[in-house]
């Protein structure tokens, strides 16, 4: 007997028990399949291997110089910055344009081969791991800035364009793209993961800054989420397909162009550092600054452990205490008012005097230290693995959850410096663990699950910006609920009925 819906073989020893049940209702025979009704579960599908004909077909489209099956190249493409192990694809291709992406996807579709989109591999949730092998689409050679409209404040870029390269391109235009996750990530990859960063409190996340996407679907068809060439500042036309693909993590299609909202460069920018005697005081101050309506551009929290790590890694000499990094944008007059009011709030919460970073070089050094927090945390324990949590809660719950998390870290005897975009209610514990110490690994896993569930209990989310990837799928179910998960799986089934788009991720 063959269960055709799921392509699963039923072995002879099972026939006597379940053959009639399968004939009448395969879902009743195997209750676990109810959770995957309407789509193909990657665990039940046999892995399709590459053969010479398929390899030749891929080579014909991409060219011999843009295809590789070498072990080193495949392993390079099977891992990101996360703690998840390397899962290399069977082959890597470098398409040059959307037409090639479409033709390559059609070949994979016809041969049931998994497709794994690849950008700069700066993700933190194992999103590029090829769990079933397949074909990795490295999009870094598609690196054109297609169209810049300075009057309309928008730009269209291909997936090989990174955040820093775009802002370099925009120099002299008076515009910039402010979404800043720290790493020099690809902009289409940032859209795929729903990224944000230090500037999100003022300028929003990728969801607020993506206007349109060009997407190649699993079968090779090309679509535009807001319509071809559309780039209006707002629309109320039909379903919001753009935000369906923002945060889809390569599971619904391959993003081959994105049209982004740009912003004017502020007249003046000033950064500052302020320290506090306790975690509670620093976080209370953050909430009060935002409640007062101050249009602060960045407000980042670092606990004492994180400050010590940053001092050592980035050659700084700030106090080892709970600290806020702040940045103000605006005219000189508006900055003076923002700084004065924020300073009064700081003092009311027992904050220190500002340590200023006014010129470009000083500000760059300060924020580079903040962006290097991941590497600074890893340097605390050389040779150890690292994992970043990513919970986000309503602002009113922020002081409570950070204090509780700090206590949990101490009681669990774990190293986990805390750093966060607290203006959004989003923070990270940068957990370090010895891969040879199974007990520590277990305690880290238990801690991260407790933290995520603590955030869910406070009406928050298990991930503010990193995505679900491999490690948070069970938490997504708890967060969204059974009906929500059923809808997500239905969307996945409609767009990717063969489950070849980055299988094993998100849902």
């Amino acid at each position: 007997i063959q269960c055709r819906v799921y392509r699963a073989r039923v072995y002879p020893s099972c026939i006597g028990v379940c053959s009639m049940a399968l004939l009448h209702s395969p879902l009743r025979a195997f209750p676990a399949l109810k959770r995957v009704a309407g789509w193909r579960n990657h665990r039940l599908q046999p892995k399709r291997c590459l053969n010479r004909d398929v390899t030749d077909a891929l080579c014909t489209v991409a060219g011999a110089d843009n295809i590789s099956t070498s072990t080193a190249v495949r392993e390079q493409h099977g891992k990101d910055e996360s703690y998840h192990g390397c899962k290399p694809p069977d082959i890597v291709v470098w398409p040059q344009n959307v037409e090639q992406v479409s033709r390559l996807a059609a070949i994979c579709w016809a041969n049931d081969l998994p497709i794994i989109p690849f950008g700069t591999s700066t993700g933190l949730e194992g999103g590029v791991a090829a769990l079933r092998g397949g074909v990795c689409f490295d999009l870094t050679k598609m690196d054109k800035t297609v169209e810049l409209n300075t009057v309309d404040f928008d730009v269209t870029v291909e997936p090989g364009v990174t955040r820093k390269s775009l802002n370099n391109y925009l120099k002299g235009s008076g515009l910039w793209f402010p979404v800043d996750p720290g790493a020099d990530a690809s902009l289409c990859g940032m859209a795929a993961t729903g990224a944000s960063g230090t500037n999100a409190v003022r300028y929003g996340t990728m969801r607020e800054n993506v206007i349109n996407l060009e997407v190649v679907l699993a079968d090779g068809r090309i679509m535009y989420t807001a319509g071809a060439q559309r780039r209006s500042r707002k629309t109320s036309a039909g379903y919001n397909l753009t935000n369906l693909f923002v945060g889809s993590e390569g599971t619904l299609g391959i993003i081959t162009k994105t049209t982004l909202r740009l912003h004017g460069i502020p007249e003046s920018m000033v950064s500052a550092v302020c320290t506090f005697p306790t975690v509670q005081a620093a976080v209370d101050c953050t909430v009060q600054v935002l409640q007062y309506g101050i249009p602060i551009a960045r407000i980042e929290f670092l606990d004492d452990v994180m400050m010590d790590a940053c001092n050592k890694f980035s050659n700084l000499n700030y106090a080892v205490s709970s600290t806020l990094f702040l940045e103000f944008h605006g005219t000189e007059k508006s900055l003076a008012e923002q700084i004065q009011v924020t300073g009064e709030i700081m003092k009311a919460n027992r904050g220190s005097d500002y340590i200023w970073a006014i010129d470009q070089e000083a500000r760059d050094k300060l924020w580079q230290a903040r962006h290097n927090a991941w590497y600074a945390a890893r340097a605390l324990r050389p040779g150890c693995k690292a994992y970043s949590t990513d919970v986000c809660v309503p602002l009113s719950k922020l002081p409570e959850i950070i204090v509780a998390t700090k206590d949990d870290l101490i009681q669990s005897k774990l190293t986990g410096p805390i750093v966060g975009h607290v203006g959004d209610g989003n923070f990270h514990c940068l957990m370090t663990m010895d891969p040879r110490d199974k007990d520590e690994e277990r305690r880290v896993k238990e801690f991260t699950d407790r933290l995520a569930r603590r955030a869910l209990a406070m009406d928050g989310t298990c991930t503010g910006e990193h995505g679900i990837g491999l490690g948070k799928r069970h938490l997504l179910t708890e967060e969204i609920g059974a009906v929500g998960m059923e809808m997500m799986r239905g969307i996945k089934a409609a767009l990717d009925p063969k489950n070849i788009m980055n299988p094993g991720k998100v849902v």
Side-chain angles (χ1 to χ4, degrees):
I1 298 174
Q2 185 179 18
C3 182
R4 303 178 72 110
V5 175
Y6 303 102
R7 301 180 67 190
R9 178 182 294 177
V10 180
Y11 290 93
S13 60
C14 302
I15 292 177
V17 177
C18 62
S19 58
M20 290 304 295
L22 275 169
L23 288 171
H24 292 288
S25 176
L27 293 181
R28 186 175 300 167
F30 295 107
L33 296 184
K34 291 180 181 178
R35 294 193 295 272
V36 293
W39 75 303
R40 296 172 181 263
N41 187 327
H42 75 279
R43 292 185 180 87
L44 298 178
Q45 289 180 299
K47 177 181 172 181
R48 290 292 296 268
C49 296
L50 281 174
N51 56 48
R52 182 63 179 270
D53 290 341
V54 174
T55 303
D56 288 347
L58 296 172
C59 189
T60 298
V61 174
D65 293 337
N66 295 307
I67 190 167
S68 177
T69 56
S70 79
T71 300
V73 171
R74 291 189 300 109
E75 288 182 350
Q76 176 190 349
H77 286 78
K79 188 172 183 352
D80 55 16
E81 294 278 2
S82 71
Y83 77 99
H84 296 288
C86 180
K87 297 289 184 181
D90 297 315
I91 192 168
V92 179
V93 295
W94 286 266
Q96 312 292 298
N97 51 57
V98 65
E99 289 75 20
Q100 287 188 3
V101 174
S102 174
R103 291 169 63 192
L104 292 167
I107 293 169
C108 294
W109 171 268
N111 291 277
D112 290 349
L113 288 171
I115 296 171
I116 302 92
F118 185 94
T120 55
S121 71
T122 53
L124 294 170
E125 295 295 341
V128 300
L131 302 181
R132 289 173 45 214
V135 184
C136 174
F137 284 50
D138 186 324
L139 303 168
T140 54
K141 291 188 177 181
M142 296 173 61
D143 59 357
K144 296 183 180 64
T145 299
V146 179
E147 183 180 12
L148 171 63
N149 300 287
T150 55
V151 175
D152 297 326
F153 287 71
D154 65 61
V155 67
T156 300
V157 299
E158 291 185 332
V161 178
T162 66
R163 173 183 64 86
K164 288 183 179 179
S165 64
L166 174 60
N167 281 324
N168 285 334
Y169 181 88
L170 292 173
K171 282 183 177 177
S173 69
L175 302 174
W176 71 315
F177 185 70
V179 181
D180 178 6
D184 189 22
S186 64
L187 292 160
C188 288
M190 288 167 60
T193 57
S196 59
T198 57
N199 285 312
V201 64
R202 173 77 173 265
Y203 298 99
T205 71
M206 288 300 288
R207 289 193 184 278
E208 291 78 43
N209 286 282
V210 173
I211 298 171
N212 198 356
L213 295 169
E214 178 186 78
V215 180
V216 175
L217 299 176
D219 59 5
R221 289 178 296 163
I222 302 171
M223 69 163 290
Y224 302 87
T225 57
Q229 309 300 318
R230 307 296 175 198
R231 52 186 182 86
S232 57
R233 300 288 285 183
K234 62 181 182 178
T235 176
S236 189
Y239 299 129
N240 191 338
L241 297 179
T242 300
N243 270 350
L244 174 63
F245 282 89
V246 173
S248 61
E249 302 184 42
T251 63
L252 301 180
I254 307 166
I255 298 174
T256 51
K257 284 191 188 74
T258 179
T259 300
L260 301 168
R261 191 185 307 273
L262 299 177
H263 298 259
I265 296 176
E267 176 186 315
S268 299
M269 298 184 187
V270 175
S271 297
V273 176
C274 185
T275 61
F276 295 83
T278 65
V279 172
Q280 183 82 48
V283 182
D284 282 346
C285 180
T286 300
V287 174
Q288 291 167 26
V289 167
L290 296 170
Q291 288 175 334
Y292 205 88
I294 298 169
I296 199 157
R298 308 193 212 198
I299 184 163
E300 299 284 300
F301 171 78
L302 297 86
D303 74 352
D304 54 341
V305 181
M306 190 74 260
M307 285 304 301
D308 185 44
C310 286
N311 280 342
K312 292 173 181 175
F313 188 82
S314 299
N315 295 317
L316 304 175
N317 58 356
Y318 294 120
V320 178
S321 180
S322 296
T323 303
L324 291 178
F325 285 9
L326 308 101
E327 188 162 274
F328 305 90
H329 293 178
T331 63
E332 290 188 6
K333 183 177 180 181
S334 67
L335 284 189
E337 183 179 0
Q338 291 179 45
I339 291 167
Q340 178 187 348
V341 176
T342 303
E344 292 171 0
I345 296 172
M346 300 286 180
K347 287 294 185 184
N349 287 279
R350 296 176 292 159
S352 68
D353 291 333
Y354 287 127
I355 300 173
W356 296 104
I358 298 174
D359 61 84
Q360 183 73 46
E361 183 179 353
R363 286 192 294 108
D364 287 348
K365 183 178 181 181
L366 175 67
W367 291 108
Q368 189 59 48
R370 164 60 187 90
H371 290 324
N372 285 339
W374 170 254
Y375 304 104
R378 294 181 66 172
L380 287 174
R381 298 178 65 190
C384 286
K385 287 184 177 181
Y387 173 71
S388 175
T389 66
D390 184 39
V391 300
C392 185
V393 296
L395 282 177
S396 61
K397 303 290 187 181
L398 189 61
E400 179 184 352
I401 192 170
I402 290 186
V403 170
T405 299
K406 186 78 170 173
D407 290 342
D408 195 352
L409 282 167
I410 294 170
Q411 292 171 15
S412 302
K413 298 179 180 179
L414 294 171
T415 302
I418 296 177
V419 61
H421 320 301
V422 285
D424 304 318
N426 180 207
F427 71 94
H428 315 294
C429 294
L430 308 183
M431 310 300 299
T432 58
M433 54 186 167
D434 185 344
R436 298 163 298 182
D437 187 339
K438 297 305 178 184
D439 179 65
E440 183 181 38
E441 193 170 322
R442 174 189 59 79
R443 284 184 287 121
V444 168
K445 178 66 169 65
E446 291 174 352
F447 167 83
T448 56
D449 279 354
R450 279 197 306 274
L451 173 55
R453 292 188 172 107
R454 189 178 299 129
L456 296 181
M458 294 182 181
D459 306 327
T461 176
C462 65
T463 178
E465 59 185 8
H466 295 167
I468 295 296
L470 292 176
K472 296 193 179 86
R473 298 175 72 196
H474 63 298
L475 295 168
L476 178 64
T477 301
E478 294 179 29
E479 180 172 331
I480 300 298
V483 176
M485 290 302 298
E486 183 180 347
M487 294 301 296
M488 286 189 182
R489 288 168 180 148
I491 292 169
K492 169 73 169 171
L495 293 174
D496 180 21
K498 292 188 175 184
N499 190 31
I500 63 171
M501 288 304 311
N502 210 6
K505 319 293 171 52
V506 187
V507 297

